[in-house]
Amino acid sequence: MRSADGSPDNRPHYPRIEETPALVDNAESTSPEQSIDSHICVIGAGFAGLAVAKALKKRGVPFTCIERSVGVGGLWRLPENGEPGAAYRSLHLNTSRDVTGYRELPMPAHYPRYPGHDQVRAYLDTVADHFELREHLELSTEVIFATPMPDGRWEVTTVHRDGGARRRRIFAGVVVAAGHHHRPVLPEPAIAGSDAFAGEQLHSFDYLAPFDYAGKRVAVVGIGNSACDISTELSRVAARTLLAIRRGVHVVPKQLMGIPIDEIAARRWWAKMPFKMQRWFIETLLRIIRGPITAYGIPEPDHRIFSAPVTISDELLSRIGHGDIAVKPVLTGLGARSAYFADGTTEEIDAVIYCTGYRIEFPFLAKECVFASGGQVSLYRRVAAPAHPGLYFVGLLRVVGSTTRPMEAQAEWVADLVTGAAALPPAEDMRAEIDGHLAAAAARYGEKPMDSIHVDFAAYLRAIRDERAAGARRRAP
């Protein structure tokens, strides 16, 4: 893109949330081409979408799984031919093979403990074939609108990536399994001087590989998992790698006591341990294994572990310790080829990569279908929308550990609901649960929208199991 004076504009450009297209009345369009009372629309064909698809397939529920990419895989597909995607070439699982695969079809035993994106994508292709899901897939297709109808059904409007007319169809229900890594978040307000910076600026969403940065000086902004991965691999080829950190975090290795941390989270002995003891146990292990995080130049976190997302990395602290990554405080400004930091230091740089996260957003839905007035996700058990029957979400959650088991539990519960094997409680009871969850999340994590999707692995699985049993009793004669 170019700036107002015609010079190249190298800043990343993503629509702000207020620029997201509003949900419009589609009534003037032609009549829907399809209306099947029992047909379910599943949006997304990554881990969550395929979990829903196989659960519906098993129950004999007719469904269409709509995916905007050219194949299954979701986050684990490298972008190709202009399709969107957040994957980069060095992307690997931070959770182990054995608990990230589906229960009914584990990942191959010959896979490494932490498979790469290409292996994960190949596995999900195998899942689609094994469970005979391909006949239900509608690829390279984007959902434009999903609108509730007065009779409880849903009108879904889609368009193919290659263009053509929009399609309008009526479904009995909609299951959103599209994830929450689609709308990158950039610093707001923008970094002072970013308009004048002559180097490259991009979000990690657009990052693919380190080769273009060989011999360059790069500042990575952030301290989440993507920032750790990207700064670590850049440090092997870049002339200088800076990691600009706003706040301290707990950096946790992928394994503790030789056990992957997500496998610890799935163990029964862990589930039986009170939360305070879980926290003490991990904090003690980190002190023994890693020592104080401040020894690496990372600020002391202003929160205890499990009160914010942990950053998982086996390599970051080692690269810092060897001097290959320089830790810096907040990036406060940019010059033509300079970066200015909160401690008063200046560094000459050639590129800035913002690893500043994502905004939860579903532009095809009215905001009130998903969010409370403050932007928090407002769903019963993080799945059902109380005021919008027939609308469900799978995979819209964060846990310490693999999300696959919780997503499978959500998918099975949704299958119960759409087949009538279970029923939801009254709306007022659902709203009470949502209010309780949001209050607890705000007290523990904060009040940002992303804070509202945190759940504890074992407690959440118990809650869904109990909900399925209660839902079946509600439907009992």
Side-chain angles (χ1 to χ4, degrees), residues 135-432:
E135 63 184 283
H136 302 275
L137 295 175
E138 193 171 302
L139 302 174
S140 297
T141 303
E142 184 140 16
V143 175
I144 305 300
F145 304 111
T147 308
M149 302 180 68
D151 62 3
R153 296 181 299 166
W154 286 79
E155 180 179 298
V156 177
T157 304
T158 61
V159 65
H160 195 274
R161 281 186 59 217
D162 294 337
R166 295 181 176 186
R167 297 182 66 187
R168 294 175 60 225
R169 286 166 283 181
I170 305 298
F171 291 91
V174 171
V175 184
V176 180
H180 49 84
H181 291 87
H182 303 300
R183 184 55 58 86
V185 172
L186 295 169
E188 184 64 38
I191 301 296
S194 58
D195 288 346
F197 182 63
E200 182 182 7
Q201 296 181 73
L202 69 156
H203 191 277
S204 58
F205 182 84
D206 294 314
Y207 173 87
L208 278 179
F211 315 121
D212 291 339
Y213 304 92
K216 295 184 178 182
R217 302 158 298 184
V218 186
V220 177
V221 178
I223 187 60
N225 292 325
S226 294
C228 291
D229 289 349
I230 291 171
S231 62
T232 296
E233 69 174 16
L234 284 174
S235 70
R236 295 187 172 92
V237 301
R240 183 157 172 77
T241 303
L242 309 172
L243 184 63
I245 299 174
R246 178 174 296 277
R247 62 181 296 208
V249 298
H250 296 279
V251 180
V252 180
K254 291 184 177 181
Q255 300 179 99
L256 292 171
M257 306 178 300
I259 307 172
I261 58 171
D262 51 300
E263 292 185 15
I264 292 176
R267 299 287 175 89
R268 289 185 178 180
W269 60 265
W270 176 262
K272 293 179 179 179
M273 194 182 292
F275 173 72
K276 290 183 178 180
M277 187 174 291
Q278 291 177 343
R279 171 178 273 171
W280 173 87
F281 179 73
I282 297 298
E283 288 176 340
T284 302
L285 281 178
L286 289 178
R287 282 196 297 270
I288 294 171
I289 294 168
R290 186 202 65 199
I293 196 68
T294 53
Y296 300 89
I298 296 174
E300 184 67 33
D302 59 4
H303 57 278
R304 295 188 67 182
I305 200 163
F306 302 145
S307 291
V310 297
T311 295
I312 300 172
S313 178
D314 283 337
E315 296 187 89
L316 178 70
L317 300 185
S318 175
R319 301 299 290 176
I320 292 172
H322 284 84
D324 299 306
I325 297 173
V327 177
K328 304 294 288 185
V330 175
L331 177 66
T332 57
L334 293 169
R337 286 285 179 180
S338 302
Y340 308 108
F341 299 94
D343 60 356
T345 59
T346 302
E347 294 268 356
E348 296 301 307
I349 62 169
D350 302 298
V352 181
I353 301 176
Y354 298 101
C355 300
T356 42
Y358 295 84
R359 177 182 292 117
I360 303 175
E361 188 174 312
F362 304 99
F364 50 85
L365 282 168
K367 291 179 183 178
E368 60 268 22
C369 291
V370 191
F371 302 104
S373 57
Q376 295 86 358
V377 172
S378 181
L379 300 171
Y380 178 61
R381 302 293 185 194
R382 324 300 70 79
V383 171
H388 300 281
L391 176 64
Y392 310 101
F393 291 76
V394 170
L396 188 55
L397 76 174
R398 274 183 163 185
V399 298
V400 175
S402 171
T403 57
T404 305
R405 298 289 177 267
M407 288 190 298
E408 286 188 293
Q410 290 178 327
E412 291 293 338
W413 178 33
V414 169
D416 288 349
L417 294 171
V418 301
T419 58
L424 290 168
E428 58 269 24
D429 293 348
M430 290 193 279
R431 284 191 285 269

